[in-house]
Amino acid sequence: MLFKYVETCFGAKPGPYQYLTSWRDKNDPAEGEFSFMIDTKGYPQQVTTNGTKIFYSTGPWNGYIFSGVSSDRMFRFLNFSLEFTNKGVSYGYETLDSSMLSRTMLKLNPGGATERVLWSKERQSWDTVYSYPLDQCEYFSTCDVNSICNVNNVPICEWLQGFTPKFQAKWDSHDWSGGCVRRTNLSCDYGDWFKKYTGIKLPETSSSWFNRSLSLKECKTLCLRNCSCTAYANSDIRDGGSGCLLWFHDIADMRKHPDRGQEIHIRLSFSERDPRSYKKRLARIVVGLVSFIVVLTILVWATSKRMKGMKQPKPVVKKAIPWKHMMEKENSSLPKMFDFSTIDIATNHFSNTNKLGEGGFGTVHQGKLIDGQEIAVKRLSKTSRQGTEEFKNEVKLMATLQHRNLVKLLGCSIQQDEKLLIYEFMPNRSLDYFIFDTMRGKLLDWAKRLKIIEGIARGLMYLHQDSRLRIIHRDIKTSNILLDDNMTPKISDFGLARIFGIDQAEANTSRVMGTHGYMPPEYAVHGSFSTKSDVFSFGVIVIEMISGRKNRGFHDPHHHLLNLLGHAWRLWNEERPLELMDEILDDGGDLCLEILRCIHVGLLCVQQNPENRPNMSSVVLMLNGEKLLPKPSEPGFYIGKDNIADTESSKQYEKCSVNEVSISSLEVR
């Protein structure tokens, strides 16, 4: 491989990003104005840019070569390849005859022209295989949008069928700025049709969508179902064509190919059909309608005659109502329904650079709507444990809940197998992103951690007793606590939540779902859950935030059978609770009482017996120092021997140190 171009991505930001840059001029090697790179914002294409503007585009990759490049001479010398995964793009080519050619080189001139040259062993010189741009049509979007550039025509620009110049006077004077607009708007149904163009260099693809496994027929169907889709084509022309490439809204930089080109199908309104074709279709419709009426009349007559001879009518079988309509009937305050294409474009086609996280349910992507609003999109995978019922449940619940410590649901989208939930965007991601990382954990001092603990408690208190519905979340964990730009915590992911009646205390399920390490023993073992299940999960989060360590996977260095809760309980019994504290936290005397109080509250919440755990309204009072704290008992899943000596319940903390602290009841005012 004599030349290889690579773009890789890491996390949410691209890099390292490799590209060529021109010299400032032929005698000055300083960085110039032009750059050559592979654009992967949509389907991969090569572009030369002048600053932030595209100067030249090769068109998208077609399986052999980039579609706008003249291939006649290229294929005699070079074999091209392009591989792209969710981690990056790799493009390269190799010489076909090493006896004639030994080296290749790509040159980007100071004026923006790109040359591909080969070293000829026979002539002992560099041979230019291809250079571009060669003519006016090769400059990016010469004719602007919704038009075709053809260098062999006079004038070189022509508008697509069904379109007309936006500024006719300019167009007549060969000023094509503004491009073309539709004569008739699309009807957004199956009355629309597609005009096929052949021998075309495909339009630029920075805002395109693609799927390499779909057929061209499936591609057409998918485009018709999306009101914003304006054109489709095969993404790969090998072996008769495969893959699907869709364009949305206006299309730009389309021209007649110099030697081969591809097919593209442009979407048009039904009224833009050829009149003869329109008459034929109308005749077919009339014939079909007449036939349908005749058949229907015969069926009605036959059914009526049969019914007269029957003593009792057959029961009417009602058609199943789609769950979406059931939701609309059950809840009139549903969130906004988004079109899938709107969210697809907002998330840059769910690109990995926009991915915020991934779990058993699917992925979460960051996006930006046309009005500039930032969103977070939860996209359920087809193998997700959260099925249709859980999806319906989350939408239904979130539509009724409003609290500053609950994430706000903006809307949802349902299209075939795609189920999307659209939330307000939380710029600081989730709680686990900070507290379990040594460096990021330093951004959360004790004051911020206490604020987050109190916010989660208030959110749960709202769910359990202050909202119109009594909600049991069942999946409270650090990754489901999102943080806004002020580090205000917001509870998210209500896919497993359940509604309780006013007088209902607990419920049972044979389908235990949740996250190990946060599930209480009565739920994990017996499937029994109540408000005290969420209290247990909250207590785990408190202990994790104080220690900076995860409950699941933690092993006490001196007692290997103990998890983090057991470790905290042992330190509490041995009157060394502050040893639980994260090393990056300031252990100053002014804070130790607050930290001790939170350890105490956390242990009360994770007690083995759910009846011993406080409710969330009591937890809020305890955190504010307005309630006497009872002595905790051993936590759930504790495996060890309780050696604590009983102490008087009225004993106070007189001195705040690791080695001298008495563990019983605590009252802080």
Side-chain angles (χ1 to χ4, degrees):
M1 188 71 70
L2 301 179
F3 170 78
K4 189 175 183 181
Y5 177 95
V6 180
E7 176 189 332
T8 57
C9 294
F10 178 76
K13 296 181 179 179
Y17 193 89
Q18 298 185 11
Y19 56 93
L20 298 179
T21 304
S22 67
W23 285 15
R24 184 171 296 172
D25 58 51
K26 64 180 181 179
N27 298 316
D28 185 354
E31 187 172 308
E33 298 178 350
F34 293 90
S35 298
F36 174 83
M37 65 193 72
I38 292 184
D39 178 9
T40 59
K41 291 192 287 294
Y43 196 65
Q45 61 181 350
Q46 283 181 331
V47 295
T48 300
T49 60
N50 184 354
T52 59
K53 294 182 179 180
I54 299 178
F55 176 72
Y56 168 80
S57 167
T58 62
W61 177 256
N62 64 17
Y64 292 113
I65 200 168
F66 288 98
S67 67
V69 177
S70 179
S71 57
D72 282 354
R73 194 176 181 197
M74 299 284 277
F75 285 139
R76 284 188 288 159
F77 302 105
L78 301 172
N79 181 40
F80 295 86
S81 63
L82 184 138
E83 296 179 2
F84 51 103
T85 65
N86 54 12
K87 294 183 179 180
V89 172
S90 174
Y91 169 65
Y93 50 85
E94 57 188 356
T95 55
L96 294 175
D97 188 349
S98 60
S99 64
M100 293 178 58
L101 307 168
S102 59
R103 285 179 290 171
T104 67
M105 182 170 65
L106 192 69
K107 295 169 60 179
L108 180 60
N109 297 328
T114 306
E115 295 182 31
R116 205 176 300 278
V117 294
L118 306 177
W119 177 256
S120 172
K121 289 183 178 180
E122 183 180 354
R123 290 189 298 273
Q124 289 294 300
S125 63
W126 288 102
D127 184 11
T128 299
V129 175
Y130 187 79
S131 64
Y132 44 80
L134 289 174
D135 54 56
Q136 191 173 355
C137 283
E138 288 201 331
Y139 291 95
F140 182 75
S141 199
T142 296
C143 301
D144 217 310
V145 298
N146 305 319
S147 57
I148 298 178
C149 190
N150 187 347
V151 73
N152 296 318
N153 283 354
V154 179
I156 61 173
C157 293
E158 60 180 285
W159 56 83
L160 297 172
Q161 180 176 329
F163 291 79
T164 188
K166 186 174 183 179
F167 306 111
Q168 187 65 56
K170 286 185 176 182
W171 192 275
D172 293 340
S173 64
H174 295 183
D175 177 358
W176 297 291
S177 58
C180 300
V181 294
R182 290 186 183 276
R183 284 198 297 256
T184 307
N185 290 333
L186 298 174
S187 58
C188 196
D189 60 26
Y190 285 89
D192 293 340
W193 65 289
F194 292 91
K195 166 72 175 176
K196 182 170 74 171
Y197 288 85
T198 59
I200 297 296
K201 175 232 176 181
L202 296 184
E204 71 94 14
T205 53
S206 60
S207 297
S208 65
W209 179 91
F210 64 93
N211 184 310
R212 288 181 284 173
S213 63
L214 295 179
S215 67
L216 192 64
K217 184 177 179 181
E218 291 170 324
C219 194
K220 175 182 178 180
T221 302
L222 191 61
C223 189
L224 278 174
R225 289 175 179 170
N226 191 313
C227 296
S228 302
C229 181
T230 50
Y232 74 93
N234 274 137
S235 59
D236 194 323
I237 63 173
R238 294 175 296 180
D239 301 322
S242 64
C244 176
L245 184 54
L246 301 182
W247 286 265
F248 301 90
H249 307 295
D250 292 329
I251 54 178
D253 196 41
M254 194 163 72
R255 65 176 172 86
K256 271 290 187 179
H257 198 279
D259 45 48
R260 295 185 183 180
Q262 292 179 232
E263 289 183 359
I264 185 171
H265 302 261
I266 308 296
R267 187 173 185 171
L268 296 173
S269 170
F270 175 68
S271 63
E272 297 292 344
R273 277 188 181 272
D274 184 289
R276 291 170 295 178
S277 146
Y278 176 80
K279 289 177 181 179
K280 289 180 182 178
R281 178 167 181 177
L282 183 60
R284 288 197 299 268
I285 292 173
V286 170
V287 171
L289 185 60
V290 170
S291 301
F292 173 76
I293 292 172
V294 171
V295 172
L296 183 63
T297 303
I298 294 172
L299 287 174
V300 170
W301 175 79
T303 304
S304 175
K305 187 174 182 180
R306 185 181 177 189
M307 291 292 288
K308 288 179 180 179
M310 297 177 63
K311 294 181 179 180
Q312 293 181 349
K314 289 186 177 180
V316 178
V317 180
K318 294 183 179 180
K319 291 180 69 176
I321 303 174
W323 73 267
K324 177 182 172 185
H325 298 296
M326 287 175 62
M327 288 174 61
E328 292 173 351
K329 185 176 179 181
E330 293 170 6
N331 190 349
S332 59
S333 58
L334 280 173
K336 179 178 178 181
M337 298 293 293
F338 285 87
D339 185 77
F340 178 80
S341 64
T342 300
I343 305 304
D344 185 53
I345 294 171
T347 59
N348 194 16
H349 317 298
F350 296 95
S351 68
N352 282 318
T353 56
N354 286 39
K355 186 185 291 186
L356 297 173
E358 186 169 6
F361 60 85
T363 57
V364 177
H365 287 77
Q366 181 181 349
K368 181 179 287 189
L369 298 175
I370 295 175
D371 61 4
Q373 181 177 10
E374 290 189 294
I375 56 174
V377 182
K378 179 179 175 182
R379 185 187 196 187
L380 271 64
S381 69
K382 294 177 177 61
T383 58
S384 169
R385 61 173 182 159
Q386 184 170 340
T388 299
E389 283 304 313
E390 285 80 11
F391 180 84
K392 171 185 172 182
N393 192 58
E394 184 159 4
V395 174
K396 193 173 159 189
L397 286 178
M398 293 303 295
T400 64
L401 302 176
Q402 296 291 332
H403 190 271
R404 72 186 302 265
N405 294 116
L406 304 184
V407 69
K408 184 178 180 181
L409 181 70
L410 303 177
C412 60
S413 175
I414 309 104
Q415 181 173 322
Q416 292 184 328
D417 294 334
E418 292 284 1
K419 294 191 285 289
L420 309 178
L421 292 166
I422 296 90
Y423 290 100
E424 59 178 332
F425 175 63
M426 297 288 107
N428 284 316
R429 304 178 71 166
S430 55
L431 182 56
D432 62 328
Y433 179 74
F434 288 93
I435 63 172
F436 300 134
D437 184 88
T438 305
M439 297 304 297
R440 290 190 290 267
K442 294 178 181 179
L443 300 174
L444 291 184
D445 58 19
W446 174 246
K448 288 187 176 70
R449 296 192 191 204
L450 180 59
K451 175 186 172 184
I452 292 170
I453 290 171
E454 291 173 342
I456 301 170
R458 285 192 297 270
L460 285 173
M461 183 173 70
Y462 169 79
L463 292 176
H464 291 176
Q465 66 182 55
D466 292 341
S467 67
R468 288 191 299 159
L469 304 171
R470 193 177 190 188
I471 309 298
I472 315 301
H473 189 282
R474 292 205 303 166
D475 201 17
I476 295 294
K477 56 184 177 180
T478 52
S479 61
N480 282 343
I481 307 299
L482 305 183
L483 303 171
D484 68 9
D485 50 0
N486 294 317
M487 288 295 184
T488 301
K490 295 180 183 285
I491 300 171
S492 69
D493 198 343
F494 284 76
L496 302 183
R498 290 294 179 267
I499 302 174
F500 269 24
I502 297 175
D503 300 323
Q504 187 177 1
E506 64 178 346
N508 289 279
T509 180
S510 58
R511 188 186 180 199
V512 175
M513 299 178 69
T515 305
H516 291 295
Y518 296 92
M519 284 191 284
E522 71 275 8
Y523 180 57
V525 178
H526 303 295
S528 175
F529 61 94
S530 65
T531 56
K532 298 300 181 71
S533 306
D534 288 348
V535 172
F536 183 94
S537 303
F538 170 79
V540 175
I541 290 178
V542 171
I543 299 299
E544 288 183 331
M545 291 191 66
I546 293 170
S547 65
R549 287 172 282 192
K550 295 181 180 180
N551 182 37
R552 187 180 182 186
F554 174 86
H555 297 288
D556 188 307
H558 303 292
H559 299 78
H560 297 297
L561 294 178
L562 297 182
N563 60 8
L564 181 62
L565 301 185
H567 174 67
W569 177 243
R570 183 177 66 82
L571 292 177
W572 180 267
N573 288 342
E574 295 175 0
E575 301 190 352
R576 299 184 293 123
L578 289 181
E579 291 184 19
L580 181 68
M581 188 171 61
D582 193 335
E583 295 178 355
I584 64 177
L585 292 177
D586 182 8
D587 60 352
D590 294 339
L591 301 179
C592 64
L593 279 177
E594 287 183 349
I595 296 174
L596 283 170
R597 183 175 70 226
C598 284
I599 295 173
H600 196 157
V601 171
L603 289 173
L604 289 171
C605 291
V606 298
Q607 293 177 101
Q608 173 82 23
N609 190 342
E611 295 178 358
N612 293 338
R613 299 171 204 154
N615 57 37
M616 289 310 302
S617 58
S618 295
V619 169
V620 171
L621 293 175
M622 290 175 181
L623 292 172
N624 291 327
E626 299 174 5
K627 190 175 180 66
L628 185 68
L629 274 65
K631 185 172 74 173
S633 58
E634 67 181 33
F637 302 112
Y638 175 69
I639 302 174
K641 188 175 181 181
D642 190 356
N643 294 321
I644 187 171
D646 191 17
T647 56
E648 297 179 5
S649 61
S650 61
K651 192 172 183 180
Q652 304 289 315
Y653 292 113
E654 296 177 355
K655 186 174 181 180
C656 194
S657 69
V658 172
N659 296 320
E660 295 184 40
V661 68
S662 71
I663 312 300
S664 57
S665 62
L666 171 63
E667 184 178 13
V668 181
R669 304 222 178 247

